[in-house]
Amino acid sequence: SFAVIPVGPSLFIGGQGIKLQSADLNVGILFVFAMGSLAVYGVALAGWVSKNKFSLFGGLRAMAQMISYEITMGISLVGLLIAYQTLDLQQIIEAQSGTVLGVLPAWGIFLSPLGFIIFFISMMAETKRSPFDLPESESELVAGYVTEYSGMKFLLFWLGEFAEIAVASSLFVLLFFGGWQLPYFDIRQIPSDFWGVLPQWFNEVNFQWAPLIGTAIFGAKVSFFCVLQVTIRWTLPRFRYDQLMALCWKIMLPISLFNVAFTAIVVLSGASLA
Protein backbone atom coordinates (compact mmCIF):
# COMPACT_ATOMS: atom_id res chain seq x y z
CA SER A 1 0.00 0.00 0.00
CA PHE A 2 2.80 2.43 0.83
CA ALA A 3 4.33 1.90 -2.62
CA VAL A 4 1.74 4.05 -4.42
CA ILE A 5 1.51 6.85 -1.83
CA PRO A 6 3.12 10.11 -3.07
CA VAL A 7 4.82 11.80 -0.12
CA GLY A 8 5.88 15.02 -1.86
CA PRO A 9 6.30 16.90 -5.16
CA SER A 10 8.73 15.66 -7.78
CA LEU A 11 12.47 16.07 -7.32
CA PHE A 12 14.34 17.30 -10.42
CA ILE A 13 17.87 16.03 -11.07
CA GLY A 14 19.54 16.85 -14.37
CA GLY A 15 16.26 18.09 -15.79
CA GLN A 16 14.62 14.73 -15.08
CA GLY A 17 11.65 14.68 -12.71
CA ILE A 18 11.69 11.93 -10.06
CA LYS A 19 8.38 11.32 -8.31
CA LEU A 20 8.54 10.71 -4.56
CA GLN A 21 6.49 7.58 -5.03
CA SER A 22 7.75 4.01 -5.28
CA ALA A 23 5.18 2.87 -7.85
CA ASP A 24 3.46 5.35 -10.17
CA LEU A 25 0.15 3.65 -10.96
CA ASN A 26 -2.75 5.38 -12.69
CA VAL A 27 -5.13 3.34 -10.50
CA GLY A 28 -3.31 3.93 -7.21
CA ILE A 29 -6.40 4.11 -5.00
CA LEU A 30 -7.65 0.75 -6.31
CA PHE A 31 -4.24 -0.78 -5.57
CA VAL A 32 -4.42 0.43 -1.96
CA PHE A 33 -7.88 -1.10 -1.55
CA ALA A 34 -6.73 -4.36 -3.14
CA MET A 35 -3.77 -4.68 -0.76
CA GLY A 36 -5.93 -3.74 2.23
CA SER A 37 -8.48 -6.42 1.41
CA LEU A 38 -5.81 -9.11 1.85
CA ALA A 39 -5.86 -8.46 5.60
CA VAL A 40 -9.19 -10.30 5.76
CA TYR A 41 -7.45 -13.59 4.99
CA GLY A 42 -4.82 -13.01 7.68
CA VAL A 43 -7.20 -12.47 10.60
CA ALA A 44 -9.62 -15.20 9.46
CA LEU A 45 -6.85 -17.82 9.17
CA ALA A 46 -5.24 -16.67 12.42
CA GLY A 47 -8.46 -17.41 14.30
CA TRP A 48 -9.16 -20.65 12.41
CA VAL A 49 -5.80 -22.36 12.98
CA SER A 50 -5.64 -21.48 16.70
CA LYS A 51 -8.03 -24.34 17.61
CA ASN A 52 -9.64 -22.05 20.16
CA LYS A 53 -13.29 -20.98 20.17
CA PHE A 54 -12.49 -17.46 21.32
CA SER A 55 -9.95 -17.09 18.52
CA LEU A 56 -12.38 -18.53 15.97
CA PHE A 57 -15.12 -16.12 17.03
CA GLY A 58 -12.64 -13.25 16.88
CA GLY A 59 -11.55 -14.24 13.38
CA LEU A 60 -15.15 -14.52 12.17
CA ARG A 61 -16.02 -11.17 13.72
CA ALA A 62 -13.01 -9.54 12.10
CA MET A 63 -13.82 -11.04 8.70
CA ALA A 64 -17.47 -9.94 8.77
CA GLN A 65 -16.58 -6.48 10.07
CA MET A 66 -13.82 -5.81 7.54
CA ILE A 67 -15.84 -7.03 4.54
CA SER A 68 -18.88 -4.98 5.60
CA TYR A 69 -17.03 -1.73 6.15
CA GLU A 70 -14.97 -2.15 2.98
CA ILE A 71 -18.24 -1.68 1.08
CA THR A 72 -19.13 1.63 2.73
CA MET A 73 -15.49 2.75 2.57
CA GLY A 74 -15.35 2.23 -1.19
CA ILE A 75 -18.77 3.74 -1.91
CA SER A 76 -17.95 6.82 0.20
CA LEU A 77 -15.13 7.65 -2.22
CA VAL A 78 -17.14 7.22 -5.41
CA GLY A 79 -18.60 10.72 -5.13
CA LEU A 80 -15.15 12.21 -4.63
CA LEU A 81 -13.74 10.28 -7.59
CA ILE A 82 -16.63 11.49 -9.73
CA ALA A 83 -15.57 15.04 -8.92
CA TYR A 84 -11.86 14.38 -9.57
CA GLN A 85 -12.45 12.00 -12.53
CA THR A 86 -9.22 10.10 -11.88
CA LEU A 87 -7.88 7.21 -9.79
CA ASP A 88 -4.28 8.45 -9.87
CA LEU A 89 -3.23 9.71 -6.43
CA GLN A 90 -0.82 12.27 -7.91
CA GLN A 91 -3.57 13.72 -10.09
CA ILE A 92 -5.96 13.77 -7.12
CA ILE A 93 -3.44 15.89 -5.19
CA GLU A 94 -3.02 18.22 -8.18
CA ALA A 95 -6.81 18.55 -8.44
CA GLN A 96 -6.91 19.88 -4.87
CA SER A 97 -4.86 22.98 -5.69
CA GLY A 98 -6.72 26.27 -6.01
CA THR A 99 -9.93 27.25 -4.25
CA VAL A 100 -13.66 26.52 -4.22
CA LEU A 101 -16.00 29.52 -4.46
CA GLY A 102 -12.90 31.68 -4.26
CA VAL A 103 -12.57 31.16 -0.50
CA LEU A 104 -12.19 27.53 0.55
CA PRO A 105 -9.24 25.34 -0.48
CA ALA A 106 -10.21 22.83 -3.17
CA TRP A 107 -9.67 19.96 -0.74
CA GLY A 108 -11.78 16.84 -0.79
CA ILE A 109 -13.28 17.53 2.62
CA PHE A 110 -14.95 20.66 1.23
CA LEU A 111 -16.05 18.93 -1.98
CA SER A 112 -17.47 15.89 -0.19
CA PRO A 113 -17.78 16.46 3.58
CA LEU A 114 -20.31 13.65 3.99
CA GLY A 115 -18.02 11.29 2.11
CA PHE A 116 -15.17 12.16 4.47
CA ILE A 117 -17.24 11.39 7.56
CA ILE A 118 -18.32 8.01 6.17
CA PHE A 119 -14.79 7.21 4.97
CA PHE A 120 -13.27 8.14 8.34
CA ILE A 121 -15.70 5.96 10.31
CA SER A 122 -15.34 3.07 7.85
CA MET A 123 -11.56 3.24 7.96
CA MET A 124 -11.61 3.24 11.77
CA ALA A 125 -13.74 0.08 11.64
CA GLU A 126 -11.55 -1.42 8.89
CA THR A 127 -8.42 -1.02 11.03
CA LYS A 128 -10.33 -2.47 14.03
CA ARG A 129 -9.66 0.55 16.22
CA SER A 130 -11.80 1.32 19.25
CA PRO A 131 -14.78 1.70 19.43
CA PHE A 132 -14.77 -0.89 16.63
CA ASP A 133 -12.33 -3.37 18.22
CA LEU A 134 -14.93 -6.16 18.49
CA PRO A 135 -12.65 -8.87 17.00
CA GLU A 136 -10.28 -8.57 19.98
CA SER A 137 -12.59 -7.37 22.74
CA GLU A 138 -10.89 -8.53 25.95
CA SER A 139 -14.11 -8.62 27.99
CA GLU A 140 -15.73 -11.12 25.61
CA LEU A 141 -13.08 -13.03 23.63
CA VAL A 142 -9.93 -12.87 25.83
CA ALA A 143 -7.92 -11.29 22.96
CA GLY A 144 -9.84 -12.55 19.92
CA TYR A 145 -7.86 -13.98 17.03
CA VAL A 146 -4.51 -13.13 18.70
CA THR A 147 -5.27 -15.11 21.90
CA GLU A 148 -2.92 -17.97 21.02
CA TYR A 149 -0.09 -15.76 19.74
CA SER A 150 2.73 -14.32 21.80
CA GLY A 151 6.22 -12.95 21.33
CA MET A 152 7.23 -12.06 17.80
CA LYS A 153 4.02 -13.48 16.28
CA PHE A 154 1.88 -11.18 18.42
CA LEU A 155 4.24 -8.29 17.62
CA LEU A 156 3.75 -8.83 13.88
CA PHE A 157 -0.03 -8.66 14.28
CA TRP A 158 0.30 -5.47 16.35
CA LEU A 159 2.77 -3.99 13.86
CA GLY A 160 0.34 -4.74 11.02
CA GLU A 161 -2.46 -2.89 12.84
CA PHE A 162 -0.35 0.21 13.36
CA ALA A 163 0.80 0.07 9.74
CA GLU A 164 -2.90 0.12 8.81
CA ILE A 165 -3.29 3.29 10.89
CA ALA A 166 -0.45 4.93 8.93
CA VAL A 167 -1.99 3.90 5.59
CA ALA A 168 -5.42 5.15 6.69
CA SER A 169 -3.97 8.49 7.79
CA SER A 170 -2.14 8.82 4.47
CA LEU A 171 -5.39 8.26 2.57
CA PHE A 172 -7.19 10.88 4.69
CA VAL A 173 -4.48 13.38 3.79
CA LEU A 174 -4.22 12.46 0.09
CA LEU A 175 -7.93 12.36 -0.66
CA PHE A 176 -9.39 15.01 1.60
CA PHE A 177 -6.65 17.36 2.84
CA GLY A 178 -4.57 18.23 -0.19
CA GLY A 179 -1.72 15.76 0.29
CA TRP A 180 1.59 17.60 0.51
CA GLN A 181 0.08 20.93 -0.54
CA LEU A 182 -0.58 24.04 1.54
CA PRO A 183 -3.81 26.02 1.05
CA TYR A 184 -3.51 29.29 -0.91
CA PHE A 185 0.21 28.71 -1.51
CA ASP A 186 2.16 26.69 -4.09
CA ILE A 187 5.31 25.36 -2.44
CA ARG A 188 6.79 24.55 -5.88
CA GLN A 189 7.05 28.28 -6.62
CA ILE A 190 9.52 28.99 -3.80
CA PRO A 191 12.69 30.46 -5.34
CA SER A 192 15.99 29.05 -4.15
CA ASP A 193 17.17 32.47 -2.95
CA PHE A 194 14.06 33.01 -0.80
CA TRP A 195 15.92 31.65 2.23
CA GLY A 196 18.60 34.34 2.26
CA VAL A 197 19.47 33.75 5.91
CA LEU A 198 20.92 30.33 5.10
CA PRO A 199 24.49 29.70 3.89
CA GLN A 200 25.28 30.73 0.34
CA TRP A 201 26.08 27.20 -0.80
CA PHE A 202 22.36 26.35 -0.73
CA ASN A 203 21.82 28.74 -3.62
CA GLU A 204 25.03 27.75 -5.36
CA VAL A 205 24.00 24.07 -5.58
CA ASN A 206 20.44 25.04 -6.59
CA PHE A 207 18.94 23.37 -3.55
CA GLN A 208 15.33 22.28 -4.10
CA TRP A 209 13.03 23.23 -1.28
CA ALA A 210 9.70 22.00 -2.63
CA PRO A 211 10.29 18.22 -2.15
CA LEU A 212 11.67 18.80 1.36
CA ILE A 213 8.88 21.12 2.47
CA GLY A 214 6.19 19.00 0.80
CA THR A 215 7.40 15.84 2.52
CA ALA A 216 7.44 17.65 5.88
CA ILE A 217 3.88 18.92 5.34
CA PHE A 218 2.67 15.45 4.36
CA GLY A 219 4.37 13.90 7.40
CA ALA A 220 2.83 16.47 9.75
CA LYS A 221 -0.68 15.87 8.40
CA VAL A 222 -0.30 12.08 8.60
CA SER A 223 1.06 12.32 12.16
CA PHE A 224 -1.96 14.41 13.17
CA PHE A 225 -4.42 11.76 11.97
CA CYS A 226 -2.40 8.94 13.57
CA VAL A 227 -2.58 10.74 16.93
CA LEU A 228 -6.28 11.44 16.37
CA GLN A 229 -7.06 7.75 15.84
CA VAL A 230 -5.12 6.74 18.94
CA THR A 231 -6.88 9.46 20.96
CA ILE A 232 -10.28 8.20 19.82
CA ARG A 233 -9.26 4.71 20.99
CA TRP A 234 -8.66 6.07 24.48
CA THR A 235 -11.88 8.08 24.55
CA LEU A 236 -14.91 6.15 23.27
CA PRO A 237 -16.54 2.98 24.67
CA ARG A 238 -16.93 -0.15 22.56
CA PHE A 239 -20.02 -0.95 20.45
CA ARG A 240 -21.99 -4.14 20.79
CA TYR A 241 -21.52 -6.36 17.75
CA ASP A 242 -25.13 -6.03 16.59
CA GLN A 243 -24.81 -2.23 16.87
CA LEU A 244 -21.60 -2.36 14.84
CA MET A 245 -23.20 -4.23 11.94
CA ALA A 246 -26.43 -2.21 12.09
CA LEU A 247 -24.41 1.01 11.84
CA CYS A 248 -22.80 -0.24 8.63
CA TRP A 249 -25.74 -1.80 6.79
CA LYS A 250 -28.71 0.25 8.02
CA ILE A 251 -27.20 3.72 8.39
CA MET A 252 -23.87 4.23 6.63
CA LEU A 253 -24.61 2.25 3.46
CA PRO A 254 -27.79 4.22 2.58
CA ILE A 255 -26.08 7.52 3.40
CA SER A 256 -23.06 6.65 1.24
CA LEU A 257 -25.35 5.73 -1.69
CA PHE A 258 -27.19 9.02 -1.27
CA ASN A 259 -23.85 10.85 -1.28
CA VAL A 260 -22.90 9.19 -4.59
CA ALA A 261 -26.21 10.09 -6.21
CA PHE A 262 -26.12 13.68 -4.93
CA THR A 263 -22.53 14.23 -6.10
CA ALA A 264 -23.27 12.75 -9.53
CA ILE A 265 -26.29 15.06 -9.95
CA VAL A 266 -24.24 18.11 -8.94
CA VAL A 267 -21.37 17.23 -11.29
CA LEU A 268 -23.70 16.49 -14.22
CA SER A 269 -25.64 19.70 -13.58
CA GLY A 270 -22.41 21.71 -13.61
CA ALA A 271 -21.27 20.01 -16.81
CA SER A 272 -24.59 20.71 -18.54
CA LEU A 273 -24.50 24.38 -17.48
CA ALA A 274 -20.95 24.65 -18.80
Side-chain angles (χ1 to χ4, degrees):
S1 298
F2 284 108
V4 298
I5 293 177
V7 299
S10 298
L11 175 68
F12 289 90
I13 299 179
Q16 183 69 30
I18 301 175
K19 293 184 178 181
L20 300 185
Q21 184 181 15
S22 298
D24 184 16
L25 300 181
N26 58 358
V27 289
I29 187 64
L30 292 183
F31 181 83
V32 173
F33 285 162
M35 294 299 102
S37 65
L38 295 178
V40 176
Y41 299 100
V43 296
L45 292 175
W48 179 266
V49 303
S50 295
K51 296 182 180 180
N52 179 302
K53 291 183 178 179
F54 292 118
S55 299
L56 178 59
F57 288 149
L60 292 176
R61 277 187 174 187
M63 182 170 59
Q65 175 177 327
M66 295 174 73
I67 292 175
S68 298
Y69 279 90
E70 278 179 359
I71 296 173
T72 56
M73 181 177 62
I75 295 177
S76 67
L77 290 184
V78 173
L80 194 67
L81 298 177
I82 290 175
Y84 291 147
Q85 298 186 7
T86 181
L87 297 174
D88 190 326
L89 291 174
Q90 282 281 8
Q91 294 181 17
I92 289 176
I93 294 176
E94 295 291 342
Q96 295 179 73
S97 60
T99 58
V100 177
L101 302 177
V103 179
L104 298 174
W107 288 358
I109 189 172
F110 299 114
L111 296 178
S112 180
L114 185 59
F116 170 71
I117 295 173
I118 298 172
F119 183 75
F120 185 83
I121 296 174
S122 299
M123 188 61 79
M124 287 284 293
E126 185 70 14
T127 56
K128 303 179 291 297
R129 309 303 296 170
S130 182
F132 302 100
D133 57 340
L134 274 300
E136 49 197 40
S137 51
E138 295 85 357
S139 60
E140 302 175 26
L141 302 176
V142 186
Y145 60 89
V146 295
T147 299
E148 301 295 332
Y149 297 90
S150 61
M152 183 57 70
K153 294 179 181 179
F154 176 79
L155 176 63
L156 290 175
F157 276 108
W158 205 240
L159 180 63
E161 287 198 7
F162 278 94
E164 286 181 330
I165 293 177
V167 173
S169 301
S170 299
L171 290 179
F172 297 150
V173 173
L174 293 173
L175 298 171
F176 295 99
F177 290 90
W180 40 262
Q181 298 193 79
L182 284 177
Y184 314 114
F185 187 75
D186 189 354
I187 62 174
R188 291 168 295 186
Q189 301 300 321
I190 300 177
S192 59
D193 56 355
F194 181 77
W195 310 88
V197 297
L198 295 176
Q200 183 63 28
W201 66 270
F202 275 99
N203 297 333
E204 294 175 354
V205 300
N206 193 25
F207 188 80
Q208 299 180 48
W209 286 102
L212 180 63
I213 297 175
T215 303
I217 293 170
F218 181 79
K221 291 179 180 179
V222 171
S223 299
F224 170 79
F225 281 103
C226 288
V227 173
L228 177 62
Q229 292 184 74
V230 174
T231 304
I232 291 175
R233 180 181 179 88
W234 292 343
T235 306
L236 299 178
R238 183 182 295 129
F239 284 104
R240 291 199 320 263
Y241 195 73
D242 61 316
Q243 294 173 332
L244 174 78
M245 302 306 287
L247 174 67
C248 176
W249 292 102
K250 296 181 180 180
I251 299 177
M252 292 181 58
L253 181 60
I255 293 176
S256 60
L257 292 173
F258 167 78
N259 181 62
V260 172
F262 177 78
T263 306
I265 292 172
V266 171
V267 172
L268 289 176
S269 300
S272 62
L273 290 176

